[in-house]
């Protein structure tokens, strides 16, 4: 789903209130009836609300749903002889992902976290990643969670679980994913783990530091794979010692960044993507830990032809060295991401799986062809997330890597990235990221003056 911000700057404060009212109403209603929108928006005069509703519907931020619950069934056609009555008041509106995007962007904008939005740099199985910049020009990444976007064809089990969910419940799960990711990143960053700095979280979106890097998936060779291997395994073990398992630790979710230390270039692995992180107390902790380890092992064997002589690492060993007083899983729970929320999200993850099955690897810098161009307007697609997803990425599993570390002299420091010509598309400067202001802050005096001028022009006496 493309994030189209062209309408953002034209929304009036009443439009925003109505949009927020639909969001608020959606918490308890699958579709929000117009009188409720009116009540929640607290706007006087029904015609004003109707105008806002149609303006929002026109740009696809809300969608009208007709008679979603009660349908007219003609008695003669109803075999069970049950007369279902016609409920005209069941017309209502629901928030679209576009509307949710706008609300989140507006929150980030009002908090002065985002000033401009740039190009899409990544598209995960269930997220869209954009470059943004703060008012002081710092480049940031905006991750929009889009749970429910997976293709049904890639999910073998439990299709019913996916099909039965409404758009609203996907949005709820997307919020949970963003909240969870933010909670984990805050604590991991504070504790000095190599993760992007989390900046803000609103609804289904997360704002974080932009890491100028390449996913491990795109690196063809390194002079000393053993050193990187050890660093990655250490990361898994250090996490476990603090009570956590990443749960999706693989070549897509490890970014490799060049860093200059004491005049020497070294490569630094940074981990991302935490919606699947679990506690080491989790019933399946052993399986998740072993799976993370196996992912790294398998990838190093396949890509770098590197096999470690060392067995493990093993969860039991990591837990032996753990200090119960320094558990981060406990802290995350205390931060507001409850066990109940974790359970709800986990149910979904169990059905869908993680990046192991995904095709997001070739999405960064010039691989924008993977961007999903689906349109929000389509009512059927919205109701059936399986239809919303374009079938991309089949065969991307074997996409060639696009950069190389090939300087053996730098063995001590893993070497530096040598980027090949395919990376010409990588933006060189801010301007190339396509950053444009998301909305110019509206000065209320200027707006009022504009209204007065318009009224004067149309013959009003003011
Ligand atoms: P998903 O949950 O959909 O897999 P990820 O968080 O793994 O989403 O992000 C998808 C891709 O976006 C990553 O593989 C990476 O290329 C890019 N990306 C994500 N976060 C950042 C970041 N902070 N800096 C730079 N690139 C990022
Ligand atoms: Mg990922």
């Amino acid at each position: 789903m493309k994030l189209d911000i062209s309408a953002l700057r034209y929304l009036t404060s009443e439009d925003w209130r109505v949009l927020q009212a639909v969001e608020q109403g959606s918490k308890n209603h699958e579709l929000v009836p117009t009188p409720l929108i009116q009540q929640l928006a607290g706007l006087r005069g029904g015609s004003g609300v109707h105008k806002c509703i149609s303006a929002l519907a026109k740009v696809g931020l809300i969608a009208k749903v007709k008679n979603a619950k009660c349908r007219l069934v003609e008695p003669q056609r109803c075999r069970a002889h049950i007369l279902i009555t016609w409920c005209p008041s069941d017309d209502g509106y629901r928030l679209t992902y576009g509307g949710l995007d706008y609300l989140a962007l507006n929150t980030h904008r009002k908090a002065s976290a985002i000033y401009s939005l740039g190009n899409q740099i990544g598209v995960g199985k269930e997220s869209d990643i954009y470059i943004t910049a703060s008012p002081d020009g710092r480049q940031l990444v905006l991750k929009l969670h889009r749970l429910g976007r997976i293709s049904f064809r890639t999910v073998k089990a439990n299709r019913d679980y996916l099909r039965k969910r409404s758009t609203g419940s996907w949005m709820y799960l997307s919020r949970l994913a963003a909240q969870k990711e933010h909670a984990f990143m805050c604590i991991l960053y504070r504790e000095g783990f190599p993760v992007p700095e989390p900046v803000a979280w609103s609804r289904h979106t997360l704002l974080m530091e932009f890491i100028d890097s390449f996913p491990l998936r795109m690196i063809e060779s390194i002079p000393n794979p053993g050193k990187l291997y050890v660093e990655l395994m250490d990361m898994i073990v250090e996490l476990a010692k603090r009570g956590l398992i990443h749960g999706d630790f693989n070549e897509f979710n490890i970014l490799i960044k060049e860093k200059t230390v004491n005049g020497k270039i070294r490569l630094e692995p940074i981990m991302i993507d935490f919606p699947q992180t679990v506690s080491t107390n989790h019933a399946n902790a052993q399986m998740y830990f072993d799976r993370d380890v196996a992912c790294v092992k398998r990838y190093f064997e396949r890509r770098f032809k590197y096999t470690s002589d060392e067995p493990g690492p093993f969860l039991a060993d990591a837990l032996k060295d753990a200090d119960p007083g320094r558990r981060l899983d406990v802290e995350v729970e205390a931060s507001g991401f409850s066990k109940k929320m974790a359970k709800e999200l986990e149910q979904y993850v169990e059905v869908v799986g993680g990046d192991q099955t995904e095709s997001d690897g070739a999405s960064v810098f010039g691989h924008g062809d993977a961007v999903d161009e689906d349109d929000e307007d389509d009512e059927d697609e919205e109701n059936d997330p399986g239809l919303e997803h374009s079938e991309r990425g089949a065969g991307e599993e074997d996409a060639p890597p696009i950069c190389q570390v090939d300087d053996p002299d730098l063995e001590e420091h893993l070497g530096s990235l040598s980027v090949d010509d395919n990376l010409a598309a990588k933006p060189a400067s801010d301007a190339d990221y396509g950053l444009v202001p998301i909305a110019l802050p509206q000065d209320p005096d200027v707006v009022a003056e504009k209204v007065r001028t318009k009224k004067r022009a149309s013959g009003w006496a003011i």
Side-chain angles (χ1 to χ4, degrees), residues 46 55 74 78 112 114 292 340 394:
E74 291 165 21
C78 183
S112 296
I114 290 185
D292 281 357
K340 182 174 167 275

Side-chain angles (χ1 to χ4, degrees), residues 135-179:
D136 59 7
R138 184 184 179 200
Q139 280 177 359
L140 300 169
V141 157
L142 177 74
K143 176 169 178 179
L144 300 108
H145 286 269
R146 307 230 186 264
L147 269 63
R149 189 169 71 177
I150 44 100
S151 163
F152 280 89
R153 269 149 282 190
T154 64
V155 178
K156 290 179 188 73
N158 256 331
R159 287 173 197 228
D160 275 358
Y161 167 87
L162 299 171
R163 276 189 199 286
K164 277 180 193 153
R165 299 197 76 102
S166 66
T167 312
S169 77
W170 292 120
M171 288 180 185
Y172 172 69
L173 283 179
S174 297
R175 280 168 200 254
L176 286 187
Q179 183 179 358

Side-chain angles (χ1 to χ4, degrees), residues 147-218:
L147 269 63
R149 189 169 71 177
I150 44 100
S151 163
F152 280 89
R153 269 149 282 190
T154 64
V155 178
K156 290 179 188 73
N158 256 331
R159 287 173 197 228
D160 275 358
Y161 167 87
L162 299 171
R163 276 189 199 286
K164 277 180 193 153
R165 299 197 76 102
S166 66
T167 312
S169 77
W170 292 120
M171 288 180 185
Y172 172 69
L173 283 179
S174 297
R175 280 168 200 254
L176 286 187
Q179 183 179 358
K180 177 174 178 179
E181 191 156 30
H182 182 252
F184 275 97
M185 283 176 81
C186 284
I187 285 166
L188 290 171
Y189 184 75
R190 189 199 67 201
E191 293 298 312
F193 280 91
V195 302
E197 180 188 355
V199 175
W201 151 62
S202 170
R203 299 172 176 88
H204 63 316
T205 69
L206 177 67
L207 203 57
M208 63 182 125
E209 176 188 0
F210 168 62
I211 307 291
D212 195 359
S213 58
F214 299 98
L216 179 58
R217 174 79 177 81
M218 292 190 178

Side-chain angles (χ1 to χ4, degrees), residues 124-125 127 143 248 250 252-253 272-273 355 358 360:
K125 188 171 62 173
S127 77
K143 176 169 178 179
D248 204 11
N250 59 50
F252 297 103
N253 294 331
I272 55 166
D273 204 359
D355 277 356
E358 83 176 23
D360 68 350

Side-chain angles (χ1 to χ4, degrees), residues 279-291:
S279 158
T280 46
N281 285 344
H282 188 282
N284 296 326
Q286 184 71 58
M287 185 274 284
Y288 287 127
F289 182 92
D290 291 345
R291 194 175 70 183

